[in-house]
Every structure is written in structure tokens, then in C-alpha cells.
Amino acid sequence: MDTDVVISGAGPTGLLLGAELALAGVRVRILERQKTRHEQSRALTLHPRSIEILELRGIADRFLSLGRTVPGWHFAGLSRQLDFSALESRHGYTLFLEQARTERLLEERARELGVEISYGHEVVALAQDSDGVDVEGTGPDGDFRLRAAYLAGCDGGRSEVRESAGIGFPGSDGTMSAMLGDFAVVDQDELAAAERGSALIVPLTSGLTRFVLTDPKRMRVPATEPVTFAEFREALTESAGTSFGIAEPRWLSRFGNATRLAESYRKGRVFLAGDAAHIHFPAAGQGLNTGLQDAMNLGWKLAAEINGWAPPGLLDTYHAERHPVGQLVTDNTQAQTLLLELTLVPDYQRPVHALRELLDSLLDIPEANARLAGLVSALSTSYPAPGDPLLGTRMPDLPLGSARVSELVHRGTFGYVDFTGDSTAQVTEGWPNRIIAATGSKHTWTDDVAEALVRPDGHLAWVRRESDPPDAAAREAAITAWAGAAARR
Ligand SMILES: Cc1cc2nc3c(=O)[nH]c(=O)nc-3n(C[C@H](O)[C@H](O)[C@H](O)COP(=O)(O)OP(=O)(O)OC[C@H]3O[C@@H](n4cnc5c(N)ncnc54)[C@H](O)[C@@H]3O)c2cc1C
């Protein structure tokens, strides 16, 4: 084998997956078609669960120090905001951070951990057998071939890995498109004074100004059709009554609502994550966030398999857990896009206005707001399992003396907390280097939890309630089901 895992694509998903694998000592090589990192940023947001997973590795501050936070986010462009600050999280906000910066920080992290990233290397074909995957590509020195135990396709919506592996990508073609433009020159006085119409205007940290336009006259133009500066300026003027003096376009792009979800996130030794597994309109900014969370779910499981301690079936839980999340995201973005699309149809102006007012009034109900906020922030993402309703939910980042739960999993291990007794010795001796154990004191989270096993991705693998007496054999069985067999004593 040339390496344990080849990752196709150095976007946010591939970079985080590479870092997660390397953290567990796995040899990983990322192949990226582009010659250099992307300078443009499609995404501008990191939502709460993404910040939480970065916190689980102790690197959230790197991202927070470069962006700015807002307490909520929109859903379908409704006037009433989703309130992330009301959700139970230490990170109840959206971080405005351009994708290019997010990628730079993820690349730094991956390189620190020893990931080899090869720019200018395109994956063009693959063949897998029972022992590994042959990956064929083209690079600066000509064609190449690599053999790895596993291949992860993090190569975006037009994924070659997905195609070559023969994984279906059912869904629908786009019915509408929108345009974005990043400009170096904008008349700031006009910007401050003018009506903005349907244009969304975002100052970027790079000093550029982004305009996003949904234009009734152009909404049926295929997303593949390039945008010209003249077209953009005309559409902006029609929408806002002024072109805001835009000049020096740095990026013009059209994007649409084609929506597809891979039928399987795994085929043998090939995995899909991020846009390679799901595409949709960027409604409420969820694509990059979902990709990061795919990577976080897959990384430790694939590493466990390669490092030889994965319990049977662990690797299959990746598809079982993340495909339903992809379904939720592709469904909610389609619902949002339909509302947006109807808003642009002149005949529906009045009824759609009424519908929007009705939905806004529902978002005034805290429970309704929290339901959608949980969905978009991904804080309500759960991987339910038979037994206790807490299983599969996010473990809150509770204080443990001067530390916190998240610190237990900084190195990609499991975390174990005993809140009422001290069974940490059994856990530490049984699973050295695989579980970091700590005692916790009485907490308000759910005050009858006596013991908790936290997965490396921060979800709960096992809990014991106080009503059940401590039981070393039951504990060992529960831990073995997730963290593999205990070391021989
Ligand atoms: C206008 C717009 C705004 C958006 N805003 C947001 C937002 O605010 N929040 C959010 O969460 N999401 C947003 N998104 C979505 C987000 O940009 C994507 O979901 C995200 O980039 C997906 O990351 P990825 O790593 O899975 O794929 P990508 O970012 O597409 O990365 C894939 C990488 O694979 C490389 N590659 C492709 N083929 C090959 C090959 N054969 N061999 C080697 N390398 C290859 C590509 O060059 C690329 O670098 C937005 C999207 C658009 C279009």
C-alpha cells in the first residue's frame, strides 16, 4: 500500500477528514485537482455545531479569532430570525467566516498533523478489490497510480469518485438560479443610503463586497451559464434602483437549486462525504457545515478500522447516521427554495406575502423557532439508538473541575465521565489511549445521569442512569460495543 487512505479533494470536507485520520495516526494523502487553494469563497458561515466540533479538537479559537459572530440566522429569507442563542450550546451563534479562510485554517491543521496534500493532482479513475483501492490520476509529472486501503471522495458535487464507484446520485435538476458577485470597488455612500431591493449585500473581510441577487427575469437561466459584468450590473440596477458604483469584479457566479443525495455513502472501500454526497441550494448556509460534520463522523470510524480495533459494523454506521442527515438538509433546502421561487413569481406576490407573514408569526413561538434553529444549526442532529433516549445526542460541554468534557476528546479519543462514583480506573486500564476518563460533579444537564461514554465526535455512545446500580460487566459490554475490546489485563 502507498498509504492507508487517499482523499480526493482538498475542500473543507477533505481537509477535515484528512486531519481527523492523521490525528489517529493513519497515513493519509489528499489529492487536489486545483494547482493552488481556492481564493474565492462560496460559503460565508460556520453554524453552531461546526464550531462545537472544532471545539472538540481544541481548535475553535483559531476560527473564532478571524470571524465575527451573529446570534442567529435566517430560514428561507423570512423576516423573523432563527435564534441560535436560545439553544443549549456554548456556541449559540453563527460565525461569519469566508470559506477561503476556513479552508486555510483546516489545511494548516491537516499539515500540522502530517497530512500530505498534493495540489495539481486529479483523480480520474479507481478500481477496488477486497484488499484495497487503486487510484489513477494525472499530475504535474504525468499520470500516476496509487494503492490505498481506502478512498474517500470529498471531491464536490461532480465527484469523479462517486461516478467511478458507480454510486447513484438521485434527485432533481435545478428549476431556478441566483447570481453572486464580489467587487473591489463599491460606492460606500450609495450603499449606506439606498434601498437594497432583493439584493443581499455582505462586506467580506478581504475588503471586497458581495452582492447576491435573485432576479425574477433571470431565475430560469441554467446555473451553468456564465455571468457577465454587464448582466450583473443591469440586474442589480433593476433590483435596487442603483448599481452601487460596482467595479473591478473579482468573482461572478451563478448557482442553482439542483438537489441530489447519494444513494449510499459507502461502497466497499470507497466513501463519499460533503458535496460529493449531497448537493442543494445554499439556503441558510448548510452545505459546508454538513460536509464538516460528515468528516467528523467518518474520520474516527475509518481510523478505528485501520488501527484494528473497530467493533463489527462500526464503519457501516457512517452511512446509517449521515445519510438521514443529508436527507434532512436536502429536504429543508428544497422547502426554503420553493418559498423563494414563489416569491419571485409575480402572480404569487400576494399569497406568498401572506404565507411569509404566517411563517414569521410561527417563528415568534419559541418552540417552533427552536425546532428550525436546531435543524439549521445542526445542534439537533442525533444518531438515535435503541435504549436510552439520550443515546446518539450531543454530549453538552459540561465543566469538569477546571476542564471541560470537550477536552477529553481533543486527541480524537472517547471520553468517559463518572458523575457519581469513580469507575475511571476500570476504563483507563481497559482502554488505555482510547478513552480519556474523568469524574464529574452533579450537573444540571440531566441530573440522573451517573456515567456517560462520549464518542470522539461528541455524541453519546452510552449512559447509565442513577436508578441503575453500577455494574462493571454491563459497563464493559457497552464500551466494547463502541470502543472495541478492552486491553488484556
Ligand atoms: C453561492 C454559494 C454560497 C454558499 N454558502 C454557504 C454557506 O454560507 N454555508 C455553508 O455551509 N455552505 C455554503 N455553500 C456550500 C459550500 O460551499 C459547499 O457545501 C462546500 O464547499 C462543500 O465542501 P466540500 O469539501 O464537500 O466540496 P468542495 O468545496 O466542492 O471541494 C471539493 C474539492 O475537490 C476538488 N476536486 C474535484 N474533483 C476532483 C478530482 N477528480 N480529483 C481531485 N480533486 C478534485 C475540487 O477542486 C475542490 O477543491 C454555498 C455554496 C454556494 C454555491
Side-chain angles (χ1 to χ4, degrees):
M1 294 287 168
D2 296 304
T3 187
D4 295 323
V5 181
V6 166
I7 296 175
S8 175
T13 307
L15 290 167
L16 182 61
L17 180 61
E20 283 295 291
L21 291 165
L23 184 64
V26 169
R27 289 178 307 151
V28 50
R29 175 140 178 223
I30 301 181
L31 305 177
E32 166 57 50
R33 180 173 61 187
Q34 298 270 125
K35 290 201 174 68
T36 54
R37 226 181 14 236
H38 299 267
E39 280 175 17
Q40 282 103 8
S41 293
R42 280 173 283 160
L44 301 179
T45 58
L46 287 178
H47 288 320
R49 184 58 184 159
S50 298
I51 306 292
E52 282 190 350
I53 64 175
L54 297 169
E55 179 80 80
L56 291 174
R57 296 293 177 264
I59 56 171
D61 286 346
R62 301 182 187 187
F63 295 78
L64 291 170
S65 66
L66 291 185
R68 73 189 157 86
T69 61
V70 291
W73 200 242
H74 78 92
F75 186 83
L78 292 168
S79 308
R80 182 76 166 83
Q81 294 268 301
L82 301 180
D83 184 4
F84 291 165
S85 68
L87 301 175
E88 254 183 67
S89 172
R90 294 178 59 226
H91 302 287
Y93 49 77
T94 281
L95 179 69
F96 261 109
L97 188 67
E98 287 138 60
Q99 181 162 344
R101 290 188 155 209
T102 297
E103 288 179 11
R104 178 166 66 74
L105 291 171
L106 290 172
E107 179 170 338
E108 268 170 31
R109 161 82 173 169
R111 287 193 190 277
E112 277 164 24
L113 293 166
V115 175
E116 191 183 344
I117 305 173
S118 306
Y119 281 95
H121 287 67
E122 178 173 5
V123 171
V124 296
L126 66 95
Q128 58 170 319
D129 52 47
S130 55
D131 298 326
V133 188
D134 290 313
V135 180
E136 286 177 34
T138 59
D141 303 324
D143 294 348
F144 64 87
R145 178 187 283 258
L146 281 175
R147 185 159 173 83
Y150 293 93
L151 169 66
C154 302
D155 46 355
R158 296 195 182 89
S159 171
E160 180 58 48
V161 171
R162 189 186 62 230
E163 275 299 303
S164 296
I167 298 175
F169 201 36
S172 52
D173 291 333
T175 57
M176 65 164 286
S177 67
M179 295 184 288
L180 72 75
D182 290 346
F183 299 93
V185 174
V186 174
D187 185 326
Q188 295 299 329
D189 295 338
E190 269 205 56
L191 208 56
E195 279 289 316
R196 288 165 190 215
S198 61
L200 174 75
I201 305 173
V202 189
L204 305 179
T205 47
S206 56
L208 302 178
T209 304
R210 169 161 300 178
F211 292 79
V212 181
L213 288 178
T214 39
D215 174 4
K217 260 177 47 190
R218 295 171 177 85
M219 64 188 266
R220 304 295 180 205
V221 177
T224 45
E225 205 163 293
V227 182
T228 64
F229 179 47
E231 179 192 12
F232 199 92
R233 190 167 48 192
E234 182 184 306
L236 182 58
T237 309
E238 283 167 11
S239 149
T242 168
S243 69
F244 298 101
I246 52 170
E248 294 186 32
R250 293 296 155 78
W251 189 37
L252 294 167
S253 176
R254 205 183 308 268
F255 55 98
N257 65 339
T259 302
R260 297 183 178 277
L261 179 62
E263 63 189 9
S264 176
Y265 282 26
R266 175 184 186 185
K267 189 162 180 184
R269 293 176 168 273
V270 177
F271 294 85
L272 299 178
D275 277 18
H278 37 74
I279 56 162
H280 49 81
F281 197 72
Q286 299 170 82
L288 183 154
N289 286 277
T290 308
L292 293 182
Q293 290 150 38
D294 289 343
M296 193 72 174
N297 187 291
L298 177 58
W300 66 273
K301 293 173 183 174
L302 190 50
E305 187 70 30
I306 291 165
N307 288 331
W309 59 259
L314 180 70
L315 214 38
D316 284 327
T317 66
Y318 170 59
H319 168 85
E321 292 181 346
R322 292 306 296 174
H323 188 270
V325 173
Q327 188 73 59
L328 279 176
V329 174
T330 49
D331 283 350
N332 90 58
T333 48
Q334 286 189 99
Q336 294 187 68
T337 314
L338 179 61
L339 193 57
L340 185 63
E341 199 171 343
L342 290 175
T343 308
L344 297 171
V345 177
D347 286 353
Y348 291 147
Q349 294 279 304
R350 184 57 221 153
V352 170
H353 181 70
L355 177 58
R356 285 185 168 274
E357 288 209 323
L358 187 95
L359 293 172
D360 271 326
S361 73
L362 290 178
L363 288 185
D364 280 334
I365 303 169
E367 291 80 5
N369 195 301
R371 177 76 171 264
L372 287 186
L375 183 70
V376 170
S377 64
L379 290 179
S380 60
T381 299
S382 178
Y383 309 127
D388 198 291
L390 282 176
L391 298 186
T393 60
R394 294 155 43 242
M395 174 77 181
D397 196 11
L398 303 172
L400 299 171
S402 60
R404 287 197 171 270
V405 167
S406 56
E407 289 171 48
L408 301 180
V409 301
H410 272 183
R411 298 290 309 156
T413 60
F414 284 77
Y416 165 84
V417 188
D418 193 335
F419 290 102
T420 55
D422 191 357
S423 305
T424 52
Q426 183 201 1
V427 175
T428 306
E429 284 164 22
W431 292 267
N433 305 322
R434 218 177 296 162
I435 305 181
I436 305 292
T439 52
S441 46
K442 239 10 196 171
H443 49 88
T444 53
W445 160 48
T446 114
D447 54 14
D448 65 344
V449 172
E451 294 173 73
L453 179 69
V454 187
R455 301 173 6 168
D457 58 9
H459 288 260
L460 276 161
W462 172 70
V463 293
R464 178 177 69 80
R465 304 278 182 167
E466 279 185 25
S467 48
D468 297 324
D471 177 339
R475 180 184 306 111
E476 174 158 353
I479 294 178
T480 301
W482 280 102
R488 292 182 49 203
R489 273 158 275 164

